[in-house]
Amino acid sequence: MIALLLLLIPLATGLICFGLKQGNAAKYFSLLASVATLGLALIAVYTPSSIGYDTAWLSDLGSRFTLKMDGMGKMLCLLTAVVYPLIFTAVYRNEYKNASAFFGLMLLTQAGLMGVFLATDALLFYFFWELALIPVYFLCSLWGGEKRIAVTFKFFIYTFIGSLLMLVGLLYMYFQTADHSFSIASLYAVKLDAVHQSLLFWLFFVAFAIKMPIFPFHTWQPDAYEQSPTATTMVMSGVMVKMGLFAVVRWLIPMFPLATAQFSNTVIILSVIGMIYASLIAIRQDDIKRLIAYSSIAHIGLMSAAIFTNNPSALTGVMIQMFNHGINVIGLWILADLIEKQLGTRKLSELGGLAQKAPAMAILLVLMALANIALPLTNAFVGEFLMFNGLFGHNIWMAAVAGISIILAAVYTLNMVQKIIYGNLSARTENAMDLPLNVKLALVIIAILVIVFGVFPQPMIELTKDSVRALFVKN
Amino acid sequence: MNAIIVSAILGVVMMFTGIFTKHKSSITLTAIVALFILLGVNLLNSYGIFSIQVNTHELLYFNKLGLYFNTILIASTLLFVLLCGKEIEKVGIHTAEYYALIFFVLCGTTILTSFNGLLMLFLGIEILSIPLYILTGADKRNLKSNEASLKYFLMGAFSTGIMLMGIALLYGATGSFTLSVQSVQPLSLGTQGVSFLQAGGLILLFVSLCFKVSAAPFHFWTPDVYDGAPTVFTSFMATIVKAAGFFAFIKVFDANAALLGPSWKILLSIVIIATLFVGNITAVFQRSIKRMLAYSSIAQAGFMLFALYSYNDMAYQGILLYTVAYCLATIGFFAVLMKVKDYTFDGLNGLAAASPVLAFSATVFLLSLAGIPLTAGFFAKYYMLASVVKAGGALWMVIAAVLFAAVSVYYYFKVIQSMYFKEGQPELNEITTGFKLGVLLLAAGIIAIGILPSIVLNWLYF
């Protein structure tokens, strides 16, 4: 029942939000709704047994409305639930044209995301996979930057092609199941020969790779992140990209173990290329949003490489990092949004000296930056360490090349920090003010999470232990 | 039999209403009542409560699937008249005659869902087509409408000729007009037990039916005719008439496809891929939404042809669902489009601000046409693709089809972009509250089918 509520609350409140006349009422209402969802997610996380919901849906098609939460599902639902109140708090003072529609669409996206992480019926999963996309399409196209229409369209077509290919793969798998069913157990039980596995592997993998995105399917991402309204960018980079990683662990690897073994090196090489490539581009960026976008590609590349190392500790690292990357990147986006809203520019070359004017912001920015580099005692360190450990065990050379990206991450992140908070005041930054209360609140919560999970990552490891184990028992 | 007889009689009745009343709206009202009667008698027939019995010497054969298909088509026509009745009145002064012709078309469609011999197929196609030639030219002071009508007539007559030739060859081969030629011992002229005449006849039949459902490379008439015809009749042609054509197509080749052996699948897959290619790629480059919809209807035909390719239970369910989904969405979208004065993409700029209800409903219709989940169109496409995967062996065609579906997103979403993301002041015709409620209900219906497609399919097994 809790699982169903996690889905229904954002859905229902999102629809109600459209009906609200006043923008402020919508803001307040959606903040309350997201807090309620967070409470529910916490209850779900602290329920020791697995939680599920099951009812008949399309019996002619062998599909049931089945929701189930395992450790990974709980963790990602928690991430989705944590992120939303933070975003809504941080953008509380932003003005949106037609705010009730904006917040309604945001909540509908949350419902779609929850559905993706909860569904254990493949057709239902496909439904939510698409449904998470539609509201984002409208959010970006309506409230985005000046090139928004073309950019969002590219993003949409990209992901839509991916999901259609996945649909073909799903259909094929469906007819291979013994009982003609889309349930996860039946799909896992299908034993295909290596040739068919390798074909189907790519049908699914392209869909997931576009979503993550990993090289060479990443071209939609920097533009989309840059042009979207920042609140939506936060959802996209904090939670939506995790859909791809999640789907690989949940669906791809268990269904096609032979093909996974066959192509793991290909995927790791693509991921490592992406990491280096994105890091190098990030160094040359002048726009904060684009810099964070490329940095995000590099981080995701490491996670996707680690998943394919077939190593339990690397997978544990991925689990932790999925959560922590979501939190950290949102911290960076909140700061980027604040700078843009307050100073009217996102260009590093026009900023400088903010440490004098806005000390609280400077401190928090440095903390987020350190977390982005994965310095020890920040939350990202544990995950990255475990992932590199796994990658090292898999292939030393790949680990060595991927390791370069850590250095590059330090280069571009510290460079960004330096240009924003040090140096002389520019014309833009002369009148800068420190953080408003709502932003400060959101950032402080993120900072606490960063440090707590950096020092004590055990709860997260415990939470996702069963998912990690399940994958390796199966293989 | 009920629907065939009653639709013909109602057609005549409609013709005479023009004498008794000059009020156009009362003629529309009569047509709506008449359609309810027609729907009623067809339902009586399909539930087995009351049916007129005529000895047709096995020329006609009524089964549940055909009768259900009648219900869908009559209900769609009813919906069409309810939403677009005002537009039909605006076409010209002969409102009663237009409705009469629509009823004659329906008579043709009911024959096409129940024919049991090639002779009745021919009659059905002709009864369906001739009123359409007139409806296409209904806007008689418009040169484009005249041109479309003449073009349609000439091309239609030509394809009918081909069909007759095919039927003649088949008759020559088997000595019978019955549909299932296999029951008759084939004259074994060919090497595989299929005579040359039989194979030739079937291919000619195939070509002429491809023409009727506008499958490439026999589609060239479609854009011009759909563009030239009064928009309200384009909507009718693109949905109800086309669906009936498909039903006939499937029926003919269900019984006969096996005769052509493996070459049948090759022939069909070429036509399907060509249709998907031409329809989708050309639609991308259109400036006028009406013309884009003409090409998109070609593209949708490509998807429907998959039912011929796979021929299994999913294909039949699929074609039903596809018909419902496609008719509802297309009728709805045309209804919205007719409220706008300028049919180019830019003409819809800013519709979301001018009329949120219309823009929202149109978005649902377009999402359904594009096959996005949670709309009826998704399951329509899903069943078609699933039937092909189930039949086995042609995964490459399924992959090609989904890639073309992704292309279709491009041109459908361009309309959404105009409505929502671009600024503008669209010139609108008068929009009544009833109309708004109508399209909104239609959109709700499409979403309902998109969540539970069994609403439509369970009727088949009642």
Side-chain angles (χ1 to χ4, degrees):
Chain A
M1 200 60 205
I2 296 179
L4 186 65
L5 279 177
L6 274 176
L7 190 67
L8 284 184
I9 289 183
L11 184 68
T13 50
L15 291 176
I16 293 170
C17 222
F18 278 101
L20 295 176
K21 287 271 178 285
Q22 282 181 321
N24 281 331
K27 272 181 194 174
Y28 189 63
F29 179 74
S30 51
L31 183 61
L32 275 185
S34 66
V35 170
T37 314
L38 174 61
L40 212 58
L42 284 171
I43 296 174
V45 166
Y46 281 104
T47 312
S49 58
S50 66
I51 303 170
Y53 181 81
D54 181 61
T55 181
W57 180 39
L58 302 167
S59 35
D60 301 340
L61 294 176
S63 173
R64 294 181 66 78
F65 191 92
T66 319
L67 306 174
K68 199 163 174 301
M69 288 176 109
D70 60 349
M72 180 170 54
K74 280 180 185 170
M75 184 268 291
L76 285 166
C77 284
L78 182 66
L79 174 67
T80 316
V82 167
V83 157
Y84 264 79
L86 289 175
I87 296 174
F88 286 153
T89 315
V91 301
Y92 200 77
R93 296 197 188 177
N94 291 7
E95 287 299 325
Y96 293 105
K97 186 181 71 184
N98 200 356
S100 46
F102 182 85
F103 286 97
L105 286 168
M106 286 288 280
L107 286 170
L108 291 185
T109 316
Q110 192 185 21
L113 289 165
M114 288 286 187
V116 169
F117 298 138
L118 287 169
T120 49
D121 180 283
L123 195 63
L124 190 65
F125 168 76
Y126 178 81
F127 251 66
F128 286 122
W129 182 271
E130 293 271 329
L131 288 187
L133 182 63
I134 304 283
V136 170
Y137 173 74
F138 280 94
L139 279 168
C140 301
S141 304
L142 280 170
W143 287 275
E146 49 187 291
K147 284 187 291 180
R148 62 187 190 274
I149 295 177
V151 163
T152 317
F153 204 28
K154 179 172 160 191
F155 158 63
F156 187 85
I157 298 251
Y158 241 113
T159 39
F160 192 65
I161 289 175
S163 37
L164 283 173
L165 292 176
M166 171 166 79
L167 181 65
V168 176
L170 271 181
L171 274 172
Y172 186 85
M173 287 297 285
Y174 166 76
F175 285 109
Q176 304 300 315
T177 52
D179 53 346
H180 281 224
S181 143
F182 278 108
S183 79
I184 196 163
S186 314
L187 288 170
Y188 280 7
V190 175
K191 293 275 176 284
L192 290 175
D193 59 57
V195 179
H196 280 97
Q197 280 203 13
S198 49
L199 172 69
L200 286 163
F201 177 89
W202 286 104
L203 285 180
F204 280 85
F205 183 70
V206 168
F208 303 153
I210 290 173
K211 204 75 171 190
M212 285 189 230
I214 67 170
F215 180 85
F217 304 106
H218 66 281
T219 53
W220 60 268
Q221 192 247 34
D223 292 337
Y225 282 14
E226 186 194 356
Q227 294 295 326
S228 304
T230 311
T232 314
T233 313
M234 293 180 204
V235 176
M236 283 163 83
S237 69
V239 190
M240 272 192 111
V241 294
K242 309 300 185 301
M243 280 165 63
L245 296 163
F246 165 84
V248 168
V249 178
R250 165 66 50 88
W251 300 97
L252 188 74
I253 296 179
M255 281 199 292
F256 314 115
L258 296 175
T260 308
Q262 190 187 344
F263 294 117
S264 62
N265 274 336
T266 319
V267 175
I268 294 174
I269 290 172
L270 285 179
S271 309
V272 171
I273 294 176
M275 285 166 72
I276 302 294
Y277 171 80
S279 304
L280 287 173
I281 297 179
I283 291 176
R284 299 294 304 158
Q285 291 304 316
D286 191 35
D287 184 311
I288 305 179
K289 275 183 120 177
R290 287 188 83 86
L291 189 146
I292 303 175
Y294 279 108
S295 144
S296 188
I297 296 182
H299 284 110
I300 297 289
L302 178 60
M303 288 186 237
S304 77
I307 289 178
F308 281 90
T309 55
N310 193 24
N311 176 321
S313 78
L315 192 62
T316 311
V318 174
M319 295 288 169
I320 306 173
Q321 188 63 359
M322 275 204 262
F323 187 87
N324 290 332
H325 173 260
I327 299 287
N328 296 350
V329 84
I330 283 173
L332 286 173
W333 286 123
I334 290 176
L335 286 162
D337 183 46
L338 184 78
I339 290 171
E340 185 189 359
K341 287 268 151 35
Q342 210 179 63
L343 310 174
T345 179
R346 294 195 304 251
K347 290 199 186 322
L348 290 174
S349 52
E350 294 177 11
L351 293 166
L354 276 181
Q356 306 162 32
K357 291 280 175 185
M361 196 202 91
I363 294 168
L364 287 164
L365 178 64
V366 170
L367 187 71
M368 298 302 154
L370 295 180
N372 197 40
I373 314 171
L375 210 71
L377 291 187
T378 63
N379 57 355
F381 171 72
V382 191
E384 292 219 345
F385 178 77
L386 287 170
M387 289 192 286
F388 269 108
N389 191 15
L391 201 55
F392 194 78
H394 182 76
N395 185 322
I396 293 181
W397 290 107
M398 286 180 193
V401 177
I404 298 173
S405 78
I406 304 183
I407 304 167
L408 296 176
V411 173
Y412 60 75
T413 313
L414 294 180
N415 184 38
M416 175 183 82
V417 171
Q418 190 187 3
K419 283 190 176 155
I420 294 176
I421 64 177
Y422 299 124
N424 296 325
L425 285 171
S426 70
R428 294 264 188 192
T429 54
E430 247 168 14
N431 302 318
M433 309 223 277
D434 212 348
L435 299 175
L437 187 64
N438 60 325
V439 178
K440 199 182 268 174
L441 181 67
L443 284 173
V444 165
I445 294 173
I446 292 175
I448 293 172
L449 288 173
V450 165
I451 293 170
V452 167
F453 284 120
V455 180
F456 187 55
Q458 203 58 33
M460 213 42 91
I461 297 177
E462 288 293 326
L463 182 62
T464 53
K465 208 164 58 181
D466 63 333
S467 302
V468 175
R469 197 183 298 138
L471 196 65
F472 285 94
V473 170
K474 165 88 185 159
N475 287 0
Chain B
M1 202 69 208
N2 288 7
I4 299 180
I5 295 173
V6 175
S7 61
I9 293 172
L10 287 174
V12 178
V13 170
M14 283 313 297
M15 224 168 357
F16 282 101
T17 51
I19 300 175
F20 294 112
T21 171
K22 287 283 166 241
H23 293 291
K24 287 182 174 180
S25 54
S26 49
I27 297 174
T28 305
L29 198 66
T30 321
I32 290 170
V33 173
L35 278 166
F36 269 113
I37 294 172
L38 186 57
L39 191 62
V41 293
N42 188 60
L43 281 174
L44 286 180
N45 196 358
S46 47
Y47 283 100
I49 299 166
F50 166 77
S51 57
I52 305 168
Q53 299 292 339
V54 178
N55 185 3
T56 59
H57 300 280
E58 295 187 357
L59 282 172
L60 292 173
Y61 169 73
F62 298 94
N63 63 0
K64 203 176 251 179
L65 184 71
L67 289 171
Y68 184 43
F69 209 76
N70 279 350
T71 310
I72 292 175
L73 292 183
I74 296 168
S76 301
T77 314
L78 181 59
L79 188 80
F80 163 73
V81 175
L82 283 172
L83 283 180
C84 310
K86 284 270 171 295
E87 304 296 325
I88 298 179
E89 291 164 18
K90 279 186 208 159
V91 172
I93 50 168
H94 306 289
T95 312
E97 280 81 350
Y98 304 146
Y99 282 117
L101 291 169
I102 287 175
F103 275 94
F104 292 138
V105 170
L106 277 182
C107 182
T109 65
T110 48
I111 293 176
L112 285 181
T113 55
S114 57
F115 67 93
N116 196 35
L118 297 173
L119 214 52
M120 289 314 278
L121 166 74
F122 172 70
L123 276 181
I125 291 270
E126 282 305 286
I127 293 176
L128 178 89
S129 301
I130 292 170
L132 278 182
Y133 302 145
I134 307 170
L135 285 178
T136 309
D139 190 4
K140 64 180 179 184
R141 296 192 195 287
N142 183 340
L143 213 57
K144 264 176 96 179
S145 176
N146 287 330
E147 183 202 333
S149 177
L150 187 64
K151 203 174 226 170
Y152 193 20
F153 174 66
L154 288 176
M155 298 290 267
F158 190 62
S159 89
T160 309
I162 292 176
M163 174 180 277
L164 271 180
M165 186 70 196
I167 292 175
L169 290 181
L170 282 174
Y171 184 80
T174 61
S176 150
F177 282 126
T178 44
L179 204 51
S180 158
V181 195
Q182 278 160 307
S183 59
V184 184
Q185 188 63 35
L187 301 168
S188 51
L189 288 172
T191 45
Q192 295 159 335
V194 181
S195 73
F196 188 71
L197 286 179
Q198 234 172 343
L202 279 175
I203 287 176
L204 288 180
L205 212 54
F206 177 72
V207 167
S208 67
L209 284 166
C210 274
F211 176 89
K212 291 291 176 202
V213 300
S214 63
F218 311 103
H219 66 280
F220 288 99
W221 60 275
T222 317
D224 290 341
V225 171
Y226 282 16
D227 197 20
T231 312
V232 62
F233 296 132
T234 309
S235 161
F236 184 65
M237 265 194 281
T239 52
I240 291 135
V241 175
K242 192 164 200 169
F246 258 103
F247 195 84
F249 203 162
I250 290 170
K251 219 169 151 178
V252 171
F253 282 89
D254 193 5
N256 292 310
L259 288 178
L260 289 171
S263 46
W264 161 246
K265 293 238 158 171
I266 298 171
L267 188 70
L268 194 58
S269 48
I270 293 171
V271 169
I272 291 176
I273 297 297
T275 309
L276 285 171
F277 181 82
V278 169
N280 283 304
I281 302 296
T282 325
V284 166
F285 297 102
Q286 299 307 315
R287 289 226 185 88
S288 145
I289 295 180
K290 196 174 168 188
R291 227 175 150 79
M292 180 276 277
L293 283 169
Y295 281 105
S296 107
S297 90
I298 296 174
Q300 303 277 359
F303 258 98
M304 292 203 231
L305 282 170
F306 275 122
L308 270 97
Y309 189 85
S310 45
Y311 273 129
N312 46 31
D313 55 334
M314 284 200 97
Y316 275 104
Q317 294 172 350
I319 196 76
L320 277 178
L321 203 56
Y322 213 111
T323 307
V324 173
Y326 175 67
C327 285
L328 293 186
T330 311
I331 289 173
F333 187 70
F334 266 113
V336 173
L337 187 65
M338 276 183 278
K339 295 290 170 196
V340 184
K341 293 216 168 102
D342 178 7
Y343 289 159
T344 59
F345 282 91
D346 287 338
L348 282 168
N349 283 0
L351 186 67
S355 173
V357 174
L358 249 56
F360 171 76
S361 318
T363 306
V364 174
F365 302 143
L366 288 165
L367 291 179
S368 182
L369 285 173
I372 307 280
L374 219 65
T375 60
F378 169 73
F379 277 111
K381 285 204 166 69
Y382 177 87
Y383 267 85
M384 284 299 162
L385 296 178
S387 75
V388 180
V389 177
K390 191 176 183 184
L395 208 59
W396 68 271
M397 273 181 63
V398 181
I399 293 175
V402 298
L403 291 179
F404 284 122
V407 174
S408 79
V409 166
Y410 180 81
Y411 50 83
Y412 290 131
F413 271 57
K414 242 166 65 176
V415 184
I416 297 182
Q417 286 177 355
S418 297
M419 292 190 301
Y420 276 93
F421 312 144
K422 292 188 178 157
E423 306 282 328
Q425 287 291 332
E427 288 179 60
L428 296 177
N429 295 325
E430 184 203 359
I431 302 163
T432 59
T433 319
F435 179 80
K436 279 186 191 170
L437 203 65
V439 286
L440 214 54
L441 278 177
L442 187 56
I446 285 176
I447 292 176
I449 298 172
I451 295 171
L452 281 175
S454 44
I455 302 171
V456 173
L457 293 175
N458 282 353
W459 277 41
L460 196 57
Y461 307 107
F462 57 77

